[in-house]
């Protein structure tokens, strides 16, 4: 059974801190790993990582895929209150059916002023 | 370009009633998904479809049915609603780039 586990489940930091969020997975025939940010409504896309693209960076956010360890990290440097959100990791693996895209439970990040 | 549109956005049902959530996307995506989101549970996959006329079960399919008669529409049905189905439901479609586009969500309450 495909599985995605995120840690920690929640995190409280102060503005300016650097945080690292973790995502580990067990899927059959891994295809891609996706990171999303969810504030009040629907999740918004951050990064997609695949075997051919294991590192992505956008501003203060960066992510790395470790295919050997079956995991990924999402780093946020110089955090701001606007970074407060739930961060979701999703993995697409073929498993028994193509297109199976499952999410972890998310990490709730709270950034205090 | 509307993206992914879900209707209705809010609904209150009584136990045993039936209803259908409609998801429409105008991006010509092949893959579409229905998720439910409950506090502390992340997004759990109910059913998904890899193309018109196809559907597959996700992690939590019991109590739900789906249909994909047209490529742009993915319907989620509850035949006999139960309080445990109180949740926020998200529809999504998957671009060829790998990005998942979400609708705004539908909040369902079953009394």
């Amino acid at each position: 059974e495909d599985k995605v586990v995120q840690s920690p489940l929640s995190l409280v930091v102060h503005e300016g801190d650097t945080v690292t969020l973790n995502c580990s997975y067990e899927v059959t025939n891994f295809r891609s790993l996706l990171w999303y940010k969810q504030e009040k409504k629907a999740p918004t896309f951050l990064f997609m990582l695949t075997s051919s693209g294991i590192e992505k960076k956008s501003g203060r956010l960066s992510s790395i895929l470790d295919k050997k360890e079956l995991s990924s990290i999402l780093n946020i440097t110089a955090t701001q209150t606007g970074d407060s959100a739930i961060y979701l990791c999703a993995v697409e693996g073929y498993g028994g059916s193509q297109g199976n895209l499952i999410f972890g439970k998310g990490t709730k990040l709270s950034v205090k002023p | 370009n509307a993206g992914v549109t879900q209707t209705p956005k809010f609904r209150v049902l009584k136990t045993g009633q039936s209803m259908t959530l409609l998801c429409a996307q105008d991006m010509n995506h092949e893959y579409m998904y229905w998720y439910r989101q409950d506090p502390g549970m992340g997004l759990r996959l109910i059913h998904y479809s890899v193309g018109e006329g196809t559907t597959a079960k996700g992690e939590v399919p019991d109590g739900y049915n789906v249909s994909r008669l047209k490529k742009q529409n993915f319907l989620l049905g509850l035949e006999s609603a139960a309080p445990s189905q109180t949740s926020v439901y998200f529809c999504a479609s998957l671009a060829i780039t790998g990005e998942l586009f979400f609708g705004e969500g539908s909040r369902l309450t079953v009394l």
Side-chain angles (χ1 to χ4, degrees), chain A residues 2 31-32 34 36 38 41-45 48 86 88 90 92 94 96-106, chain B residues 31 33 35 37 40-45 48 50 56-59 90 94 96-105:
Chain A
D2 294 344
R31 182 176 177 184
S32 63
L34 304 161
Y36 280 81
Q38 186 178 26
K41 289 194 174 180
T44 54
F45 178 75
M48 182 178 77
I86 296 174
L88 296 164
E92 185 184 3
Y94 286 100
S97 299
Q98 183 176 355
N100 190 15
L101 186 63
I102 61 173
F103 282 79
K105 292 185 178 182
Chain B
Y31 293 11
Y33 300 82
Y35 292 92
Q37 188 171 37
M41 298 298 291
L43 288 165
R44 291 186 291 171
L45 181 61
Y48 64 104
V50 299
K57 294 180 180 181
E59 303 168 87
F90 286 99
L94 187 66
I96 198 167
T97 57
E99 181 177 349
L100 200 59
F101 288 81
F102 284 89
E104 291 193 348

Side-chain angles (χ1 to χ4, degrees), chain B:
Chain B
N1 192 342
V4 179
T5 303
Q6 292 180 229
T7 53
K9 290 187 171 42
F10 300 93
R11 185 75 187 269
V12 178
L13 289 177
K14 294 181 180 178
T15 297
Q17 287 185 316
S18 63
M19 76 158 295
T20 300
L21 294 174
L22 171 64
C23 177
Q25 52 98 1
D26 61 2
M27 297 172 282
N28 203 35
H29 292 163
E30 291 289 343
Y31 293 11
M32 295 186 74
Y33 300 82
W34 275 108
Y35 292 92
R36 62 176 287 173
Q37 188 171 37
D38 305 292
M41 298 298 291
L43 288 165
R44 291 186 291 171
L45 181 61
I46 305 171
H47 287 280
Y48 64 104
S49 168
V50 299
E52 181 179 313
T54 73
T55 63
K57 294 180 180 181
E59 303 168 87
V60 289
D62 294 342
Y64 305 95
N65 56 76
V66 288
S67 64
R68 184 99 181 268
L69 297 179
K70 293 183 178 181
K71 186 177 184 178
Q72 62 267 34
N73 295 335
F74 194 29
L75 278 63
L76 178 71
L78 285 71
E79 290 185 348
S80 179
S84 61
Q85 294 177 305
T86 293
S87 189
V88 179
Y89 292 84
F90 286 99
C91 175
S93 67
L94 187 66
I96 198 167
T97 57
E99 181 177 349
L100 200 59
F101 288 81
F102 284 89
E104 291 193 348
S106 299
R107 183 175 294 276
L108 174 65
T109 301
V110 183
L111 302 175

Side-chain angles (χ1 to χ4, degrees), chain A residues 55-83:
Chain A
E55 190 166 350
K56 294 286 177 73
K57 182 176 171 61
S58 177
R60 297 179 294 105
L61 276 67
S62 63
S63 183
I64 298 173
L65 175 69
D66 187 335
K67 283 208 69 181
K68 184 178 178 183
E69 296 296 327
L70 305 184
S71 64
S72 175
I73 59 171
L74 176 68
N75 280 321
I76 308 175
T77 60
T79 52
Q80 303 170 358
T81 55
D83 295 325

